[in-house]
């Protein structure tokens, strides 16, 4: 019997497969499509997930050997420029890499870890038993697994088959067009801005709101620029086209931009979207079935939070499922996936809905933007927004444990990015005297003299405990790791500094 079947070979499903295999589980990924999708989708990563990839040794696979992430000096929020260079603690990291490269990197990593990916396998039904779930496939034999995870997108078949509701709201009053196009070279300034006669300079990689709509100019290096225009109350029919995008840009800016067809290698995007959906699954678990990524939540793409949210779902769920499969999971551990991640999805949908309102045309929105712009001049407001967009403000409930770092993502420490690559719990001990007791087989203990206090890190890099005594440590280990005495547990080795 398979440990975990994952329906969907997108970034979220592949990340979960990597996390499960890293923890010793045997996942199987099923993908409906016979080949990887070729259409252009997300343009990169925003938020804590950039550092999470670095802590798994995956960031440099998307950049360069030895590269480490740096916080972004600026970003956007609701078509406002967000200046971050003067923040004392800038948590916002970005990585401009197209989604197909992220998927390929994760697929390669999954293969290294022994994960099998079966393409052309479409889930059509499921039946749950007491200890397994049987997955029915179109024109193929059923598969039995201990768990099934739906990472199959916003129209998730797994979610529907599990009877999980997907409440939310749908708006259909806007039309957005996004496509790759070329522009005359003399219209691109030295700083990458688009110089539009009759309008002015459009900064790169910023949402520009006018009283008629929104425009975005994204000149990605080595690729054709990506251009987007959004309007409200404009009819549209037929296939999206360059001519339609050109006309929409002209209306939004009040000036013509001579867009031409893309000249570089594809895949090229030309897409029209009507309105948008904001929906969150009523629950993330139904028995032995779990939901992940867009199968659990959909929202506006403004600000690029989707992959940050979905990939962090995968990191949260992966170690918990693997712990359950090993028989090491304390009672209720799997239920913490929903209790921890569903509130995060609500917070993301909150700020994407707020941003969607701030970009709309109209005098009342302009008045709101004037006030909001004054607030963004305050460093405390910009710090709050940066924490919100990155996910750095997430704090999980760790039970009775207290301390300023408990429940929060572990701070960057020398050597931590190497220590977390195994995906195992970490005990960071400044004294070198703490004893993990019956949990010693399952926790990597590392002496870190630079720390003022000991920290217990879960595999997803959240702090489960901080303190100085073994008594408090053992209570925390009992909450997150089941004691197995001296029984040997497969492990990639204990790391000690």
């Amino acid at each position: 019997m398979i440990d975990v079947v994952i329906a969907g070979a997108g970034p979220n499903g592949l990340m979960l497969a990597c996390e499960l295999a890293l923890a010793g589980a045997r996942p199987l990924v099923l993908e409906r499509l016979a080949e990887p999708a070729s259409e252009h989708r997300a343009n990169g990563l925003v938020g804590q997930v950039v550092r999470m990839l670095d802590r798994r040794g995956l960031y440099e696979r998307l950049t360069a050997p030895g590269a480490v992430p740096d916080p972004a000096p600026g970003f956007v929020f609701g078509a406002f420029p967000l200046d971050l260079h003067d923040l004392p603690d800038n948590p916002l990291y970005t990585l401009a890499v197209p989604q197909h490269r992220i998927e390929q990197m994760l697929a390669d990593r999954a293969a290294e870890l022994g994960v099998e990916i079966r393409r052309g396998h479409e889930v059509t039904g499921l039946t749950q038993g007491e200890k397994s779930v049987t997955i029915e496939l179109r024109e193929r034999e059923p598969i039995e697994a201990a768990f099934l995870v739906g990472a199959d997108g916003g129209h998730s078949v797994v979610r529907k088959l599990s009877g999980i509701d997907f409440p939310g709201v749908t708006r259909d009053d806007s039309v957005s067009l996004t496509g790759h196009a070329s522009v005359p070279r003399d219209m691109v300034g030295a700083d990458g801005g688009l110089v539009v006669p009759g309008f002015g300079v459009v900064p790169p990689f910023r949402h520009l709101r006018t009283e008629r709509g929104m425009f975005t100019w994204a000149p990605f290096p080595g690729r054709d620029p990506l251009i987007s225009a959004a309007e409200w109350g404009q009819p549209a029919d037929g296939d999206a086209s360059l001519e339609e995008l050109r006309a929409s840009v002209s209306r939004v800016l009040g000036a013509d931009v001579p867009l031409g067809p893309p000249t570089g290698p594809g895949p090229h995007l030309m897409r029209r979207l009507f309105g948008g959906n904001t929906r969150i699954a009523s629950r993330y678990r139904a028995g032995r079935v779990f939901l992940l990524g867009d199968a659990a939540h959909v929202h506006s793409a403004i600000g690029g939070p989707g992959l940050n949210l979905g990939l962090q779902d995968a990191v949260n769920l992966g170690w918990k499922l693997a712990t359950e499969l090993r028989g090491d999971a304390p009672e209720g551990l799997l239920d913490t996936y929903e209790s921890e991640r569903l509130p995060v999805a609500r917070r993301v949908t909150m700020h994407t809905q707020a941003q969607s309102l701030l970009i709309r045309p109209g005098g009342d929105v302009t008045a709101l933007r004037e006030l909001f712009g004054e607030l963004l001049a305050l460093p405390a407001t910009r710090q709050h927004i940066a924490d919100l967009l990155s996910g750095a403000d997430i704090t999980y409930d760790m039970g009775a444990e207290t301390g300023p770092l408990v429940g929060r993502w572990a701070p960057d420490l020398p050597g931590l990015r190497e220590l977390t690559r195994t995906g195992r719990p970490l005990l960071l001990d400044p004294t070198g005297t703490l004893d993990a007791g019956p949990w010693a087989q399952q926790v990597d203990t590392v002496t870190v003299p630079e720390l003022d206090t000991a920290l217990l890190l879960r595999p997803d890099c959240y702090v489960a405990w901080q303190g100085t005594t073994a008594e408090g440590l053992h209570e925390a280990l009992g909450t997150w790791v089941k004691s197995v005495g001296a029984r040997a547990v497969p492990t990639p080795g204990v790391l000690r500094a």
Side-chain angles (χ1 to χ4, degrees):
M1 182 171 67
I2 302 296
D3 284 343
V4 183
V5 164
I6 302 168
N12 300 320
L14 292 171
M15 187 71 184
L16 177 62
C18 291
E19 290 292 295
L20 286 165
L22 194 64
R26 297 178 299 113
L28 169 65
V29 180
L30 304 179
E31 170 55 52
R32 177 180 59 85
L33 299 177
E35 299 291 338
S38 59
E39 68 268 17
H40 186 95
R41 287 179 282 179
N43 295 305
L45 301 171
V46 178
Q48 292 285 90
V49 71
V50 177
R51 286 198 284 176
M52 188 68 239
L53 289 180
D54 186 48
R55 290 188 178 180
R56 289 293 190 261
L58 302 177
Y59 176 82
E60 60 186 64
R61 295 187 180 210
L62 294 170
T63 53
V68 296
D70 292 316
F75 200 63
V76 291
F77 183 87
F80 283 96
L82 189 63
D83 188 2
L84 306 174
H85 81 278
D86 61 342
L87 296 186
D89 181 18
N90 182 0
L92 193 62
Y93 291 72
T94 61
L95 178 60
V97 177
Q99 182 170 323
H100 69 86
R101 278 192 57 201
I102 298 171
E103 288 186 9
Q104 186 59 59
M105 181 276 291
L106 291 173
D108 292 344
R109 176 56 174 157
E112 292 172 6
L113 294 169
V115 176
E116 182 182 0
I117 302 172
R118 298 180 186 175
R119 293 193 170 274
H121 284 60
E122 182 179 356
V123 175
T124 58
L126 64 89
T127 304
Q128 294 204 53
E130 182 179 349
K131 296 184 178 181
S132 66
V133 55
T134 300
I135 300 101
E136 299 170 19
L137 305 172
R138 186 177 303 280
E139 299 179 351
R140 299 181 186 275
E141 292 297 315
I143 296 175
E144 186 180 16
F147 295 100
L148 169 65
V149 178
D152 49 345
H155 299 287
S156 172
V157 171
V158 172
R159 185 187 65 240
K160 296 171 183 176
L161 291 171
S162 302
I164 298 176
D165 294 332
F166 205 37
V169 295
T170 297
R171 301 186 68 96
D172 59 2
D173 57 347
S174 66
V175 178
S176 65
L177 289 153
T178 303
H180 287 104
S182 60
V183 299
R185 289 187 178 183
D186 59 3
M187 292 187 68
V188 182
D191 61 351
L194 182 66
V195 182
V196 181
F199 178 83
V201 178
V202 178
F205 305 106
R206 297 288 187 267
H207 297 123
L208 175 68
R209 183 242 183 206
T210 74
E211 288 294 347
R212 297 168 296 276
M214 191 177 72
F215 175 73
T216 305
W217 157 252
F220 290 102
R223 290 185 277 165
D224 287 294
L226 194 62
I227 295 172
S228 179
E231 298 180 87
W232 282 257
Q234 285 289 337
D237 55 28
D239 294 333
S241 66
L242 182 63
E243 291 73 20
E244 185 183 5
L245 176 60
R246 188 185 298 120
S248 181
V249 169
S250 179
R251 288 191 296 267
V252 170
L253 295 181
D256 290 331
V257 178
L259 301 180
T263 58
H268 297 133
L269 176 68
M270 182 56 65
R271 178 181 63 201
R272 182 199 298 121
L273 296 177
F274 293 94
N277 286 304
T278 299
R279 299 184 178 277
I280 301 177
S282 58
R283 51 198 172 116
Y284 281 17
R285 178 186 184 183
R288 292 186 164 270
V289 179
F290 292 81
L291 300 180
L292 175 72
D294 288 356
H297 40 70
V298 295
H299 47 78
S300 169
I302 190 167
L307 284 177
N308 187 34
L309 182 58
L311 292 172
Q312 293 282 49
D313 287 347
V315 176
N316 187 286
L317 179 60
W319 71 272
K320 294 174 181 177
L321 277 177
T323 303
E324 179 74 22
L325 288 162
R326 289 198 307 265
D328 300 343
E331 184 177 356
L333 179 65
L334 288 181
D335 291 331
T336 66
Y337 169 61
E338 177 181 309
S339 65
E340 290 181 349
R341 295 306 297 171
L342 194 147
V344 179
R346 289 178 179 146
R347 192 153 178 79
V348 169
T349 58
M350 175 273 290
H351 78 67
T352 56
Q353 285 178 307
Q355 292 188 74
S356 297
L357 177 61
L358 284 167
I359 66 174
R360 294 174 69 93
D364 52 347
V365 177
T366 299
L368 177 62
R369 290 180 62 84
E370 183 176 349
L371 174 59
F372 201 85
E374 294 177 5
L375 295 175
L376 282 179
L378 304 174
T381 303
R382 286 183 279 118
Q383 182 72 62
H384 183 88
I385 296 295
D387 291 342
L388 173 68
L389 293 177
S390 67
D393 60 350
I394 296 170
T395 302
Y396 294 144
D397 181 3
M398 297 293 175
E401 301 306 323
T402 60
L405 295 178
V406 171
R408 302 186 67 83
W409 210 60
D412 288 329
L413 299 167
L416 186 59
R417 58 195 295 267
E418 287 77 24
L419 294 171
T420 53
R421 292 186 178 187
T422 62
R424 283 169 52 84
L426 272 174
L427 174 59
L428 306 178
D429 178 12
T431 67
T433 61
L434 285 176
D435 180 8
W439 298 271
Q441 296 271 4
Q442 299 139 286
V443 179
D444 291 344
T445 301
V446 184
T447 301
V448 186
E450 297 85 357
L451 283 176
D452 297 326
T453 178
L455 298 176
L456 175 64
L457 273 55
R458 305 190 320 186
D460 57 0
C461 293
Y462 278 82
V463 178
W465 169 84
Q466 72 177 104
T468 57
T469 68
E471 180 180 359
L473 169 64
H474 291 179
E475 290 177 359
L477 287 167
T479 299
W480 297 105
V481 182
K482 182 179 178 182
S483 172
V484 293
R487 179 171 65 83
V489 177
T491 168
V494 175
L495 298 171
R496 296 188 182 275

